[in-house]
Amino acid sequence: MNAAKRLEIFTRFRAANPSPKTELEYTTPFELLIAVLLSAQATDVSVNKATRLLYPVANTPATILALGVDELASYIRTIGLFRTKAKNVIATCQILLEQHGGEVPRDRASLEALPGVGRKTANVVMNTAFGEPTMAVDTHIFRVSNRTGIAPGKNVDIVEQKLLKFIPKEFLHDAHHWLILHGRYTCTARKPQCWNCMIADLCDYKDKSPMPAVV
């Protein structure tokens, strides 16, 4: 895919959705961090259901730490791997209080040092909470990048580096959200909705699916 096509793709994404947002519900960087940590191998919908119950009760490192693992687990038990995540959240809260004054750090190294926080989670927090032009490559972005030809790569690290290199700078901050939403609702894994895709004419995917027959 050439630079002109990429420019047009992201121009269309921006025109259709000028201010894309994460579908995770949060009001502070800490709430976002916890929501993203909980979202591993879980849907945003399931995380939002849990945090709607949790955050009115505890939404700071100190108040969540005070809950303890077992009580926290009771709030998030509908989320996959909830016991492990509860332990990681409690440990993260303790580190934030002891090492960062209860604040979410802005740098990658400090974020990735938190239990349960990997590169993808750190990228989401840096981008969404602090406005950094990072690229969190999840399964949706990995699929869209390869299928469309925007930034093909054999693993998430290669795709991340190519996206950061190839996407025009003016679109970098919001590109993460556009690509996730496109993969979640249009360029889906099993049946991509190519007939309903705003970038179908620019996409390199050869086996474009036709509009389903009306019965």
Side-chain angles (χ1 to χ4, degrees):
M1 180 175 288
N2 59 40
K5 278 189 175 182
R6 291 192 187 93
L7 176 63
E8 179 60 22
I9 284 172
F10 287 98
T11 298
R12 292 183 189 181
F13 282 153
R14 182 173 62 185
N17 187 3
S19 300
K21 307 294 183 185
T22 178
E23 293 186 321
L24 290 171
E25 296 172 359
Y26 74 99
T27 59
T28 66
F30 175 73
E31 288 186 357
L32 176 66
L33 170 64
I34 299 306
V36 178
L37 197 157
L38 295 176
S39 71
Q41 299 181 48
T43 65
D44 288 359
V45 171
S46 68
V47 172
N48 289 338
K49 286 181 179 178
T51 57
R52 285 171 196 163
L53 298 175
L54 172 64
Y55 288 162
V57 175
N59 68 338
T60 65
T63 54
I64 288 183
L65 182 61
L67 291 178
V69 172
D70 291 340
E71 190 170 355
L72 173 60
S74 71
Y75 283 98
I76 65 171
R77 62 186 312 108
T78 56
I79 300 173
L81 306 174
F82 71 94
R83 290 195 182 279
T84 298
K85 291 176 180 178
K87 292 177 182 177
N88 284 337
V89 168
I90 292 297
T92 287
C93 289
Q94 190 159 7
I95 291 172
L96 291 178
L97 289 166
E98 292 176 352
Q99 300 181 17
H100 302 286
E103 299 294 325
V104 177
R106 292 172 173 256
D107 65 288
R108 181 185 302 283
S110 296
L111 284 167
E112 291 187 13
L114 299 171
V117 177
R119 184 176 182 85
K120 184 177 72 173
T121 297
N123 278 336
V124 172
V125 173
M126 291 170 67
N127 177 276
T128 305
F130 302 128
E132 296 292 334
T134 56
M135 187 63 59
V137 180
D138 68 351
T139 56
H140 296 300
I141 292 182
F142 185 77
R143 178 177 65 256
V144 170
S145 298
N146 276 283
R147 183 183 278 167
T148 61
I150 290 174
K154 293 182 178 180
N155 59 56
V156 295
D157 293 331
I158 293 174
V159 170
E160 178 184 338
Q161 294 307 313
K162 284 189 174 182
L163 287 169
L164 291 172
K165 178 181 179 181
F166 293 147
I167 295 175
K169 290 184 178 180
E170 65 181 294
F171 302 111
L172 263 181
H173 177 260
D174 292 324
H176 160 253
H177 296 302
W178 287 321
L179 292 172
I180 283 179
L181 294 171
H182 190 65
R184 186 172 289 167
Y185 297 111
T186 303
C187 195
T188 51
R190 293 186 179 181
K191 294 182 179 180
Q193 299 178 29
C194 301
W195 68 90
N196 192 36
C197 176
M198 70 177 73
I199 62 167
D201 58 314
L202 303 168
C203 169
D204 289 346
Y205 185 52
K206 294 180 181 179
D207 300 322
K208 291 186 170 64
S209 53
M211 178 182 292
V214 177
V215 177

